[in-house]
Amino acid sequence: MYSERVLDHFHNPRNVGELDNATAVVEASNPACGDVMKLWVVVQGGKVVEARFKTAGCVPAVACGSWLTEWIMGKPVADLHTLTTDQIEVALEGLPPASKHAAMLAVEVLKTLLAKVGKR
């Protein structure tokens, strides 16, 4: 049902937890399914130098949060606007049709982050 990559990120999530020194903390939720994703980042010199997440939700939601933190670390904030749900799905070797909302949640939390960081 789930790809090996999705299961790996679910069973061994990367960058789980909170950051006390976060530049920004944001949250997004999907009211239809109840999934919630929270993202903490430290931005220095215009780049994301550290990222952590917590997700309350389904297997793909946790996998998408884990993958997202890996993808954004080390990147300039200006380059993060390009992420799409299709990119996440490809990177995770596919998501079942009923789980595509997980990629949308990850993109939504990133958009919320960019709106907040852009105000600084």
Side-chain angles (χ1 to χ4, degrees), residues 27-82:
E27 183 176 295
S29 62
N30 182 332
C33 67
D35 291 350
V36 177
M37 187 177 295
K38 196 165 185 177
L39 181 65
W40 290 257
V41 298
V42 175
V43 177
Q44 293 175 350
K47 288 186 177 183
V48 175
V49 296
E50 199 166 358
R52 298 284 182 270
F53 86 105
K54 285 187 177 180
T55 297
C58 62
V59 169
V62 173
C64 287
S66 174
W67 181 87
L68 178 66
T69 60
E70 287 192 319
W71 186 80
I72 65 176
M73 278 201 282
K75 286 188 172 52
V77 171
D79 293 352
L80 301 180
H81 297 275
T82 63

